[in-house]
Amino acid sequence: MKHITVSILLLALAGCGGSSEGESVNSSVPDNSSGTVDSGSEFNPGGMPSNPSEVSFAKKNEINVDAFENYFTINLEKDSKVYISALLELGMKTLDKTRCRSSTVEESGFITVDSTGVACDHRVVLDLKAGQHSINFEYPRSNYGYFTIDTVANNQRTILTENGVGGLPSTPRKISFTENNEINRDLNNNYFAYEGKAGDKLFLNSYLQESIPVLMLTRCRSGAGENSSAIGFSINEGPYSCTENIEYELPEDGSYLFHVFYMAPSDVTYPVPGYFRADVQYAQ
């Protein structure tokens, strides 16, 4: 499978300085309004190859059993990092993912962009140039569900005030120290931010609806938290923790972007929801 400037399961650093809800980091917000679809159905259906549907940033984009109806387009006004997260009703067999990754055919992949395979998994983050791009989904075993999508241009994000729920890549939400922070099944909705000073120490503990098999954590560690089996917490484009809990001391003043997600079990994987609690020991 050929990759086109793809960064799978990695994050972009949040802009410096925290902000209140609605206030933009670096006085800019990502331009993703062009894909908004009028209210009505909960889902935005795909189209056919000759008449693809424009992706929606406001609705769930439908992944049909018939891949012939899973064609979408996205129009970017600027070079952007694009985040795609698929939620599948049947989960995904580890064997199917392995076979997909071992393919040498350029078009292979459960997610293809501009006719090139970019992902054999639930999620992908990739860098795309300004302009129109095609996106197609074809999962094996008649799988179906939906995907969400978000974009970040020029690494500019809006940090939202805390309320215990995660944000999107373009709008991460401040970590709450008084409420539980939700871990969503939609991996695009698990972005959090913290602004602090060098020496601040964060303690994050996850509480999940299902136990994570030791095998999943072992696979993650074998790839140093950076391969397709990565799970846990990631900070500022770093590797995932491969653990359910982390302690992290800020090396310098600034804003830090956190992403968290877990997959289980080991043979047929799907996102595991839950929440994490947070505490902070401020630098003296």
Side-chain angles (χ1 to χ4, degrees):
M1 181 181 68
K2 179 179 178 182
H3 293 269
I4 53 172
T5 320
V6 176
S7 174
I8 297 180
L9 298 175
L10 294 181
L11 308 175
L13 175 63
C16 294
S19 62
S20 60
E21 185 161 4
E23 179 183 352
S24 170
V25 175
N26 293 335
S27 301
S28 179
V29 295
D31 181 9
N32 57 14
S33 59
S34 62
T36 301
V37 177
D38 293 339
S39 60
S41 171
E42 178 185 7
F43 293 94
N44 174 44
M48 299 179 70
S50 63
N51 187 28
S53 174
E54 187 175 4
V55 297
S56 172
F57 293 91
K59 293 185 177 185
K60 299 173 181 177
N61 297 279
E62 186 175 14
I63 298 175
N64 201 295
V65 171
D66 185 354
F68 207 54
E69 298 181 5
N70 290 337
Y71 285 83
F72 297 84
T73 61
I74 182 173
N75 188 41
L76 300 173
E77 294 187 4
K78 301 177 181 179
D79 294 355
S80 301
K81 189 176 290 290
V82 178
Y83 299 74
I84 299 173
S85 172
L87 286 87
L88 304 172
E89 288 295 327
L90 305 180
M92 189 180 300
K93 284 187 173 292
T94 302
L95 180 59
D96 289 336
K97 292 191 286 186
T98 301
R99 287 173 174 169
C100 176
R101 295 188 186 105
S102 64
S103 175
T104 58
V105 179
E106 180 175 304
E107 294 80 8
S108 67
F110 302 149
I111 304 174
T112 59
V113 175
D114 298 333
S115 300
T116 299
V118 297
C120 296
D121 215 321
H122 296 80
R123 181 173 181 267
V124 66
V125 181
L126 60 157
D127 295 304
L128 294 179
K129 296 292 185 180
Q132 183 168 286
H133 300 271
S134 63
I135 305 174
N136 176 236
F137 295 79
E138 184 172 3
Y139 285 98
R141 305 179 191 274
S142 299
N143 217 333
Y144 64 99
Y146 67 88
F147 73 93
T148 60
I149 190 166
D150 194 32
T151 63
V152 173
N154 299 324
N155 202 28
Q156 295 171 335
R157 307 166 191 266
T158 301
I159 299 178
L160 306 182
T161 55
E162 64 181 76
N163 70 353
V165 177
L168 293 166
S170 60
T171 54
R173 193 173 290 278
K174 289 183 178 180
I175 292 174
S176 175
F177 297 102
T178 58
E179 299 181 65
N180 295 334
N181 297 275
E182 181 183 13
I183 299 174
N184 200 295
R185 289 180 64 246
D186 181 357
L187 308 186
N188 269 351
N189 278 286
N190 291 334
Y191 285 83
F192 296 85
Y194 176 77
E195 182 185 22
K197 297 183 178 299
D200 285 358
K201 191 172 186 179
L202 294 176
F203 302 83
L204 309 179
N205 281 31
S206 297
Y207 300 82
L208 305 172
Q209 291 185 11
E210 294 186 39
S211 298
I212 304 301
V214 174
L215 178 59
M216 295 292 289
L217 299 175
T218 301
R219 285 175 178 169
C220 178
R221 295 186 186 108
S222 67
E226 296 182 307
N227 64 7
S228 58
S229 299
I231 54 176
F233 291 88
S234 177
I235 306 167
N236 292 346
E237 292 195 287
Y240 284 78
S241 64
C242 305
T243 62
E244 297 182 31
N245 310 312
I246 64 167
E247 296 180 10
Y248 181 74
E249 184 172 322
L250 272 61
E252 57 186 28
D253 297 356
S255 296
Y256 290 77
L257 182 69
F258 291 77
H259 184 236
V260 56
F261 79 94
Y262 294 92
M263 306 293 288
S266 57
D267 54 345
V268 180
T269 61
Y270 48 82
V272 177
Y275 64 90
F276 70 89
R277 297 181 62 190
D279 192 19
V280 59
Q281 179 180 313
Y282 295 106
Q284 300 298 318

